[in-house]
Amino acid sequence: MSLTLVPELQPQASRQQKLQDWKKQYGDEAQFNSKDGFPFNCFDDVWTLNGLGSVGQQVDVEFFHTKDWSDEFQCHLRLAIGNIATKRAVTSISGDICGTLRKLFITTFSQSEIEGHWPLMLEYQRKGIKALLRELITIDKTEYRDAHDWVEKNYKKPKRKNNPYCIETGALSEFEVQSFERELAKTLKAKLIDLAKDTDDFTSQLRKLTIVKHFIMLRLVYALVRRSANLNQTKWNDILPVGAPFKDEKDIAQQDMETLDFSDEDELQVRLWKAKDTSNFRKSVERYSLSLNAKLTQEVLCYRQAYRRCLQFSLAKSNIQVTREELDVLMMRSPIAFTPVFFKTNFADKTEVFKALSEKGTGFHDSSNGITRNIAVAVEKLDLKSDRVPNMRVANNRFRHTVGTAAAIMGADATEIASLLGNTLTSVKYYVDMSDEQRANTDNQFLGNTQLKQMFDADIATLQKQTKYTMIDSEGNEAGQAKSQKSCSSCGEIKRPLACYGCNNFQALEYGDHQNIRDDAQRLYDKQIAKGDPSYLLQRLATQIKWVDVTIIVCDERMANRSALHAQ
């Protein structure tokens, strides 16, 4: 029988008295404002550092009372971490700093103690110790000087391991991209149809809206090539029709706030906020807005309409009456990625609602980690297929690697790639510096795809009977047919038959006029280039042209072989 030792907390009354004594002793020195502007006292056991999530993101340091630390050392640590919290995100404080202190049995931070633990520390623990010592030395130079100097000398930043060509975590192949896009389009379409039902049932609407939110976030992360930390700052006033000006509420009276009507014909633009900026929430905007295509625009508008219904339901439940103009303002201030508690909160009056939903505030915004987790849940619902690995997984970094490598292959320079990804020039260096061999492998990997074989392995005589699923070109000529009616009817592609080439569900006809389709696609490509579109933005079109080229080669070869056999 094994025994688990549980650290013993000091008696509640004793702890509270000690904390109160320290507050009096240190006074204003114990008061801090977090990176996100939230005030806290480092001698409290729970610090609320921002307004994200249902109650804000918090750091719990109650475990300090279970440690065998002197009172002086605990005071020093609280002051040091409080100062770190003014410069770092909550996740860094709770993970790198408090996570390290929870797991390491360190009592004094002496040089000998640090040296003894150092070989067994994980990287995040070494980073945490280093950050703490940089603050502790400002509190007591004599006590922490030796440990600080030793860590500064011996800490070596690990080399970055980022392989954009890894088949499991790097750029997606063309087959994988198509699988992901089809599955996401099909699944989101079904969720939006379901969302349009039972619109008078608030509980049902909120449950469905939360599910759709996860897939909308996945769509935006993929389409915009941005991080969860960009999207968690986004409000509805950051998504407007193309051509509409983005306006802040500063110096604009609430009743004069311009409202906008959204129609089914609008295409939307998105204003994004920098994810890795040292400034506060929604303080540093990206220079250019990004446009959403027509399909994604419609999906976002459907989501917005249901969101607005839930907001109306929520206000009515609290017996709060608002005009349409006031509801418009509240919508514009509301987060795209919300926490469910937002619609369940019982506000006292209208004033409290407007106070909770400020233009720059973090209230009811889901955290970036929360968005990432929800996106992962959404991905698990997709039936993804890969031509390279048995269990395909996708995440934000894979989308970014896919775009980054494709842009480099198409000749984009570092500045253009950085703009596409919202990155610094340094962080996109490995895309630009890849070798000629790597470029060739990435550019041509789809040519060896097992898809190619599958495009020609069905009985075309059987498929010809299913005329409803015949793919024809702009002149009415037959190019091929679908192998599976079900898969074809749920396909999200709209540029048929060009988009069908390379699809696992497409059966190309040997005698089809594929050259005519290829010529039309090439003319479109050349036209877009002449208009000034960068070539890397036309990657999908270029890829489909290559697929048509491969199809023509295979068809010509098969017909030549058949003719040779007949000649014998």
Side-chain angles (χ1 to χ4, degrees):
M1 179 177 177
S2 61
L3 295 175
T4 302
L5 297 178
V6 180
E8 184 179 351
L9 274 171
Q10 300 170 6
Q12 176 75 15
S14 174
R15 299 200 320 263
Q16 290 303 320
Q17 184 58 52
K18 183 181 293 186
L19 292 174
Q20 290 301 321
D21 291 344
W22 287 340
K23 286 182 180 180
K24 291 179 181 178
Q25 178 182 345
Y26 285 91
D28 291 343
E29 192 179 347
Q31 294 287 346
F32 295 92
N33 285 322
S34 71
K35 179 185 175 185
D36 291 310
F38 275 57
F40 67 95
N41 191 298
C42 70
F43 292 112
D44 288 326
D45 280 339
V46 177
W47 309 344
T48 300
L49 302 185
N50 66 32
L52 298 178
S54 57
V55 294
Q57 288 186 301
Q58 299 176 329
V59 170
D60 189 339
V61 295
E62 188 178 29
F63 74 93
F64 280 19
H65 302 292
T66 68
K67 296 292 186 177
D68 187 21
W69 295 336
S70 68
D71 287 352
E72 182 183 44
F73 183 53
Q74 183 178 162
C75 286
H76 288 175
L77 281 177
R78 285 175 176 270
L79 292 166
I81 299 172
N83 199 42
I84 294 173
T86 66
K87 298 172 282 188
R88 290 199 182 188
V90 181
T91 51
S92 177
I93 304 300
S94 58
D96 291 351
I97 308 301
C98 291
T100 296
L101 293 175
R102 282 179 186 274
K103 294 187 177 182
L104 295 183
F105 295 97
I106 294 180
T107 58
T108 63
F109 268 47
S110 65
Q111 179 182 337
S112 59
E113 195 173 37
I114 297 297
E115 279 192 64
H117 284 80
W118 195 258
L120 301 177
M121 287 185 195
L122 300 175
E123 173 57 25
Y124 84 89
Q125 293 172 331
R126 291 179 176 178
K127 285 170 59 180
I129 294 296
K130 181 183 178 183
L132 279 169
L133 283 168
R134 285 186 171 181
E135 296 299 333
L136 287 170
I137 197 174
T138 65
I139 297 170
D140 191 329
K141 292 183 179 180
T142 303
E143 183 71 22
Y144 305 108
R145 168 62 68 184
D146 292 342
H148 170 270
D149 291 349
W150 187 89
V151 168
E152 290 292 328
K153 180 180 178 181
N154 288 276
Y155 177 79
K156 293 179 175 58
K157 188 174 182 179
K159 292 184 178 179
R160 184 176 184 180
K161 297 180 180 179
N162 203 341
N163 181 8
Y165 315 105
C166 174
I167 63 174
E168 293 182 342
T169 61
L172 299 169
S173 69
E174 183 67 18
F175 181 93
E176 291 168 338
V177 167
Q178 292 177 354
S179 172
F180 170 74
E181 289 181 349
R182 283 196 299 268
E183 278 298 308
L184 179 55
K186 178 178 69 175
T187 303
L188 182 53
K189 180 180 179 180
K191 298 297 182 185
L192 289 172
I193 290 174
D194 190 41
L195 182 62
K197 302 175 182 177
D198 303 320
T199 55
D200 293 330
D201 185 340
F202 174 56
T203 303
S204 173
Q205 278 287 288
L206 182 55
R207 176 180 57 81
K208 294 175 183 178
L209 184 71
T210 302
I211 294 172
V212 168
K213 176 192 70 173
H214 301 165
F215 287 95
I216 289 291
M217 291 303 107
L218 176 58
R219 282 282 277 137
L220 291 173
V221 162
Y222 176 68
L224 301 175
V225 203
R226 291 298 186 269
R227 302 180 179 88
S228 298
N230 297 109
L231 294 184
N232 89 303
Q233 300 181 65
T234 308
K235 296 178 183 286
W236 282 111
N237 65 6
D238 296 313
I239 299 185
L240 299 178
V242 171
F246 291 104
K247 289 187 177 181
D248 294 332
E249 291 184 32
K250 185 177 180 181
D251 300 327
I252 300 178
Q254 177 181 303
Q255 60 269 25
D256 296 329
M257 182 67 177
E258 181 177 345
T259 61
L260 291 164
D261 290 322
F262 289 81
S263 73
D264 292 340
E265 298 180 357
D266 285 321
E267 286 194 1
L268 300 178
Q269 58 179 334
V270 182
R271 174 175 62 179
L272 293 167
W273 302 85
K274 294 181 181 179
K276 292 188 174 181
D277 197 271
T278 56
S279 57
N280 292 332
F281 190 82
R282 289 177 61 85
K283 287 292 180 68
S284 184
V285 70
E286 290 192 11
R287 179 176 297 180
Y288 302 109
S289 62
L290 301 179
S291 298
L292 306 183
N293 63 31
K295 184 176 181 181
L296 181 50
T297 288
Q298 290 305 309
E299 292 166 345
V300 171
L301 287 177
C302 288
Y303 172 60
R304 185 183 189 276
Q305 186 179 32
Y307 191 114
R308 187 185 178 95
R309 282 198 301 268
C310 285
L311 181 57
Q312 286 177 300
F313 277 130
S314 176
L315 294 173
K317 200 172 70 165
S318 297
N319 295 317
I320 297 175
Q321 300 295 322
V322 294
T323 64
R324 182 192 172 189
E325 289 73 20
E326 289 172 331
L327 184 62
D328 287 341
V329 173
L330 291 175
M331 271 294 296
M332 299 294 250
R333 294 181 179 185
S334 298
I336 304 293
F338 62 91
T339 56
V341 73
F342 172 36
F343 296 107
K344 298 177 181 179
T345 300
N346 290 317
F347 295 103
D349 51 37
K350 189 188 300 186
T351 301
E352 188 174 84
V353 180
F354 276 95
K355 184 177 179 181
L357 294 175
S358 63
E359 189 194 15
K360 296 293 185 182
T362 59
F364 304 110
H365 283 255
D366 203 354
S367 66
S368 58
N369 285 343
I371 294 175
T372 300
R373 286 193 299 269
N374 292 333
I375 285 175
V377 171
V379 168
E380 289 296 323
K381 305 292 184 183
L382 304 180
D383 183 21
L384 300 179
K385 305 295 182 185
S386 172
D387 55 329
R388 303 184 295 175
V389 294
N391 298 310
M392 175 185 167
R393 295 185 178 277
V394 298
N396 183 24
N397 281 344
R398 298 205 71 182
F399 302 148
R400 299 172 69 78
H401 287 327
T402 303
V403 173
T405 54
I409 290 168
M410 301 301 287
D413 60 26
T415 303
E416 292 173 308
I417 298 175
S419 177
L420 271 176
L421 304 182
N423 271 357
T424 62
L425 289 175
T426 303
S427 62
V428 301
K429 191 173 184 292
Y430 50 78
Y431 296 123
V432 180
D433 290 348
M434 60 182 170
S435 66
D436 292 338
E437 181 181 0
Q438 287 172 319
R439 289 177 185 270
N441 287 340
T442 307
D443 193 24
N444 298 313
Q445 62 183 342
F446 70 91
L447 294 177
N449 202 305
T450 54
Q451 260 183 300
L452 187 60
K453 177 178 178 295
Q454 295 173 12
M455 284 173 60
F456 297 91
D457 66 359
D459 180 5
I460 193 63
T462 301
L463 290 171
Q464 282 178 321
K465 298 176 183 178
Q466 304 168 357
T467 56
K468 181 180 179 182
Y469 293 91
T470 298
M471 306 303 174
I472 59 175
D473 62 18
S474 58
E475 298 181 1
N477 300 314
E478 189 174 353
Q481 294 185 339
K483 294 181 182 180
S484 167
Q485 294 183 2
K486 182 178 179 181
S487 296
C488 190
S489 62
S490 63
C491 177
E493 299 292 354
I494 56 174
K495 296 180 181 178
R496 295 174 178 169
L498 178 61
C500 300
Y501 288 85
C503 174
N504 191 37
N505 191 46
F506 179 59
Q507 172 70 47
L509 293 181
E510 287 184 8
Y511 55 81
D513 190 359
H514 306 297
Q515 186 62 49
N516 182 53
I517 295 171
R518 196 246 186 252
D519 292 343
D520 285 345
Q522 187 64 53
R523 280 192 290 271
L524 176 60
Y525 182 89
D526 294 340
K527 179 181 177 181
Q528 295 303 113
I529 290 293
K531 286 172 60 179
D533 287 353
S535 58
Y536 56 83
L537 292 182
L538 301 173
Q539 181 210 0
R540 182 66 184 275
L541 179 58
T543 298
Q544 292 309 112
I545 292 174
K546 290 182 180 180
W547 270 117
V548 180
D549 287 338
V550 172
T551 302
I552 292 172
I553 292 171
V554 174
C555 288
D556 288 348
E557 183 179 346
R558 288 196 172 198
M559 287 191 290
N561 290 338
R562 189 173 287 108
S563 297
L565 287 173
H566 288 318
Q568 295 176 2

